[in-house]
Amino acid sequence: MTPANTLVPRRLLLPFGKACARVPPSRRVRTSSRCLDVMPAWVIDKYGSNDVLRFTRNASFPSITYPNEVVVKVFAAGLNPLDVSMRGGYGAATLSMKRDPLSITVSGGEFPLILGRDVSGVIMECGLEVKYFQERDEVWAAIPPWKQGSLAEFVVLSANEISWKPKSLSHTEAAAIPYVATTAWSALVNTGGLRKENCGNKRILILGGSGGVGTFAIQLLKAWGAHVTVTCSQNAEQFVRGLGADHAVDYTDGPVEVSLSALEKFDLILDNVGGDTERWALGLLKPWSGSKYVTLVTPFMQNTDRLGVADGMMQTAATVASKALKIRAVVEETFSFSQVPQAFEKLEKGHARGKTVVQVSTGGS
């Protein structure tokens, strides 16, 4: 078994003494007939709390089944609240329909399931129709929630789901960006109608500004010239101001809606908190001005469908933001691959100051 921290050349993808079934040239979808059978991964065999996480060295190796797919060796995986929701089974029925629209497999056919929606790594193999990427390209991606995730040594993605990793970012930093970038971009641009040209006179409120999406949104909006107010705890105020926030409201200092109602009305509210916020947040918007309230706390598959979170927006969202606008990755804590359960525990505690990242493999290009 090849160690998880080793970059595997194509010539070594064939286990000693084994061979993949020969595929007729007219049916081949990959550049090589070499293959591995298994790989290290964290999986779940049922939905539940943190004790359902299981490490295995015998997870099925992901194979290219369509000619536009690539195999990526995972160096770092970013975790999101979405992963906690998926571990508990939230959205399982909808995701099963995405994976198996004809209901061919039996119930529970998604197991063993690999979590992790952010990935940064290196392409190890390309399908025959992949034109713009090649082996050993360093890439990053936001993995759609119906696909196997990044808490594994390898993952298979389509070419339109990946983008070149900025050279200025390490794999750990890069794994903190894709999903939150795509989510924030979808909410603010696709749904909120914001762009660089119309943000100069806009007042934006971010409810829950210190987490992954909030920290990215602050930097994006300030790069576009908006006035940004965020809610956070008192000990996170300096942190969000350091990212560019103009005003911070402490949600632990009495009812936050009272403090916010004393401020000038807002053009757009981005809600990362949920709960009863929708009840009072609409009253904070400017009347008769086309102002918008965008929530990211509705059922996550609704967000995926409505906001287009997983529809191949990486070239637009993460790449434009990090390269053109110089938005920096905000990594709160990094865990080793053996510490995935602890990483989930950290994520579940909330009160984030950026992203939680798992270092799956060491090294790089």
Side-chain angles (χ1 to χ4, degrees):
M1 182 67 199
T2 302
N5 65 349
T6 303
L7 191 62
V8 186
R10 279 180 55 201
R11 65 178 182 273
L12 297 181
L13 286 178
L14 176 63
F16 183 75
K18 289 201 172 186
C20 295
R22 182 172 178 82
V23 181
S26 61
R27 295 177 54 194
R28 285 184 60 189
V29 295
R30 53 194 293 183
T31 57
S32 171
S33 61
R34 302 170 177 87
C35 71
L36 286 171
D37 293 326
V38 295
M39 66 176 179
W42 282 90
V43 302
I44 63 172
D45 302 300
K46 61 181 179 180
Y47 297 116
S49 56
N50 218 34
D51 58 2
V52 300
L53 290 166
R54 174 175 67 89
F55 177 75
T56 177
R57 295 187 178 277
N58 298 305
S60 296
F61 190 91
S63 59
I64 291 177
T65 55
Y66 296 97
N68 68 330
E69 291 180 329
V70 298
V71 176
V72 175
K73 179 173 175 61
V74 180
F75 280 90
L79 295 184
N80 298 276
L82 173 61
D83 293 299
V84 176
S85 298
M86 289 180 63
R87 187 200 63 196
Y90 197 42
T94 303
L95 291 173
S96 292
M97 283 296 295
K98 287 278 191 179
R99 299 184 188 106
D100 184 23
L102 298 180
S103 299
I104 295 174
T105 59
V106 298
S107 177
E110 68 269 29
F111 300 119
L113 181 64
I114 301 172
L115 302 173
R117 295 303 106 195
D118 287 305
V119 61
S120 181
V122 176
I123 294 178
M124 297 308 302
E125 188 174 9
C126 296
L128 292 178
E129 293 182 5
V130 175
K131 298 179 180 179
Y132 302 108
F133 299 94
Q134 59 186 2
E135 294 172 17
R136 296 192 174 273
D137 279 353
E138 294 190 328
V139 295
W140 58 355
I143 304 174
W146 51 88
K147 290 192 172 186
Q148 292 286 43
S150 55
L151 291 176
E153 189 177 5
F154 296 93
V155 65
V156 164
L157 295 165
S158 68
N160 70 333
E161 290 164 347
I162 63 175
S163 184
W164 288 285
K165 179 185 74 67
K167 290 182 171 58
S168 60
L169 298 179
S170 68
H171 285 292
T172 299
E173 292 169 328
I177 291 179
Y179 199 85
V180 296
T182 311
T183 303
W185 187 280
S186 299
L188 297 172
V189 179
N190 293 6
T191 302
L194 300 180
R195 55 189 186 277
K196 180 179 180 180
E197 293 76 18
N198 68 5
C199 264
N201 61 345
K202 292 288 196 300
R203 286 180 50 82
I204 314 298
L205 170 63
I206 302 175
L207 299 174
S210 64
V213 174
T215 56
F216 185 92
I218 291 170
Q219 296 179 81
L220 176 65
L221 292 167
K222 288 309 299 178
W224 285 352
H227 182 282
V228 179
T229 298
V230 304
T231 64
C232 61
S233 62
Q234 184 181 19
N235 60 11
E237 180 175 347
Q238 185 176 356
F239 169 68
V240 296
R241 286 189 180 275
L243 294 172
D246 298 285
H247 187 58
V249 176
D250 179 9
Y251 64 76
T252 66
D253 186 22
V256 69
E257 63 268 32
V258 175
S259 300
L260 291 171
S261 63
L263 304 177
E264 184 181 340
K265 302 292 186 183
F266 297 95
D267 296 284
L268 184 140
I269 297 175
L270 178 63
D271 184 2
N272 298 296
V273 177
D276 67 344
T277 55
E278 189 170 354
R279 175 180 56 80
W280 48 260
L282 297 177
L284 303 176
L285 292 169
K286 293 180 179 178
W288 314 109
S289 64
S291 55
K292 295 181 179 180
Y293 169 80
V294 181
T295 178
L296 296 176
V297 195
T298 55
F300 66 82
M301 279 308 300
Q302 289 185 23
N303 282 328
T304 300
D305 294 336
R306 180 171 59 89
L307 300 180
V309 168
D311 62 356
M313 290 177 55
M314 275 294 294
Q315 275 94 353
T316 303
T319 305
V320 169
S322 61
K323 289 186 176 179
L325 303 177
K326 306 299 180 186
I327 289 178
R328 66 182 176 92
V330 182
V331 179
E332 180 179 17
E333 192 167 354
T334 303
F335 293 83
S336 69
F337 196 36
S338 64
Q339 296 176 309
V340 166
Q342 294 93 315
F344 270 84
E345 290 174 0
K346 163 70 178 64
L347 195 62
E348 286 188 274
K349 290 179 181 178
H351 308 291
R353 303 289 181 270
K355 285 293 291 290
T356 298
V357 176
V358 174
Q359 188 175 25
V360 177
S361 304
T362 58
S365 58

